[in-house]
Amino acid sequence: MPLYVFEGRYKQLIRHCIETASPFGVVHISQGIEVGIDWTPDQLERLSSVGTLSRLEQVAEQPDGAFYVVARGLDRFRISHLVEGNPWPGAQVEMLPTQSTDTPCPLLCHRLRHAVKPWMRLNHLGDQDVEAVEQLSAQELAAFTVSLLPEHATQYQEALEHDDLDTQVKTIIAVLEHEMALTTQLHAIKLAAIPTPCGCLLN
């Protein structure tokens, strides 16, 4: 997950995570575009209840104090209640390990790979990158697919809230296959020949 961190309170959070080797939480905002500094009970309703624990893997501080970072998603959590005491938003959480720790149904993995490869080619990724998805685990493949369709936050939040990996993957497959079908239809319409009009051509 690549992030550009420029807001003061989140720059402080990144520095804290670096100094203490601590992870941080990522939660989808279901209402509005931002959550204020002063936490109130009504703001909890603006957040999705399930989020992802994340760990910094790459950090590049900029001259103006902002950060370019790459974080890796870890386990899921459910928010219990909001807490105060830091400049950044915080919450008490309950960890939610995924029930299935094994690879999901092989047919599901095959279906997801079959769906994601054409999408990668449409996004101008090379053959080497496309074939590299064969080496990804089910969890890695699902996360990579999500990164290709970031605008579908609601559907992916639905996937995140399921407790078993099979259902998570099924939800992601449904979104990707739907998008691929729409894209194929639009591409076909774009390529359709437009008949030359009869009579004189007018400027």
Side-chain angles (χ1 to χ4, degrees):
M1 177 176 58
L3 297 172
Y4 175 58
V5 183
F6 61 89
E7 191 176 341
R9 53 182 169 163
Y10 295 125
K11 290 192 292 185
Q12 289 178 274
L13 171 62
I14 294 300
R15 292 191 180 96
H16 171 78
C17 291
I18 294 171
E19 293 170 359
T20 61
S22 300
F24 62 96
V26 177
V27 182
H28 173 58
I29 298 175
S30 57
Q31 300 177 33
I33 59 174
E34 180 56 286
V35 176
I37 295 177
D38 298 325
W39 288 93
T40 59
D42 66 298
Q43 289 180 323
L44 183 57
E45 299 177 359
R46 296 172 55 193
L47 299 173
S48 297
S49 60
V50 176
T52 306
L53 199 65
S54 301
R55 179 183 65 237
L56 293 174
E57 294 212 335
Q58 299 177 32
V59 180
E61 186 170 3
Q62 305 305 299
D64 62 356
F67 292 94
Y68 284 106
V69 306
V70 175
R72 177 178 293 274
L74 305 172
D75 292 328
R76 302 174 306 131
F77 61 78
R78 186 182 305 279
I79 295 178
S80 299
H81 60 270
L82 304 175
V83 299
E84 300 176 333
N86 293 308
W88 54 83
Q92 182 71 37
V93 303
E94 170 195 1
M95 300 311 300
L96 297 174
T98 301
Q99 290 179 2
S100 174
T101 56
D102 299 325
T103 301
C105 171
L107 289 176
L108 282 179
C109 290
H110 174 75
R111 185 176 163 193
L112 182 53
R113 288 190 175 93
H114 180 75
V116 78
K117 285 183 177 181
W119 189 264
M120 292 173 68
R121 291 189 177 97
L122 280 177
N123 284 273
H124 309 294
L125 293 172
D127 290 340
Q128 185 175 357
D129 292 326
V130 172
E131 293 307 317
V133 301
E134 294 289 345
Q135 309 304 318
L136 297 179
S137 69
Q139 294 93 331
E140 291 170 335
L141 181 61
F144 173 70
T145 304
V146 168
S147 73
L148 294 179
L149 294 167
E151 66 273 18
H152 292 273
T154 301
Q155 290 90 334
Y156 291 133
Q157 181 65 34
E158 177 187 346
L160 185 70
E161 294 184 8
H162 288 297
D163 288 334
D164 66 282
L165 186 57
D166 277 359
T167 308
Q168 292 175 3
V169 172
K170 285 178 184 177
T171 305
I172 294 170
I173 289 173
V175 176
L176 183 58
E177 289 182 340
H178 176 71
E179 285 301 308
M180 193 66 203
L182 287 179
T183 301
T184 302
Q185 291 172 11
L186 292 173
H187 188 61
I189 292 172
K190 183 178 180 181
L191 293 178
I194 300 175
T196 303
C198 299
C200 299
L201 299 178
L202 302 178
N203 290 330

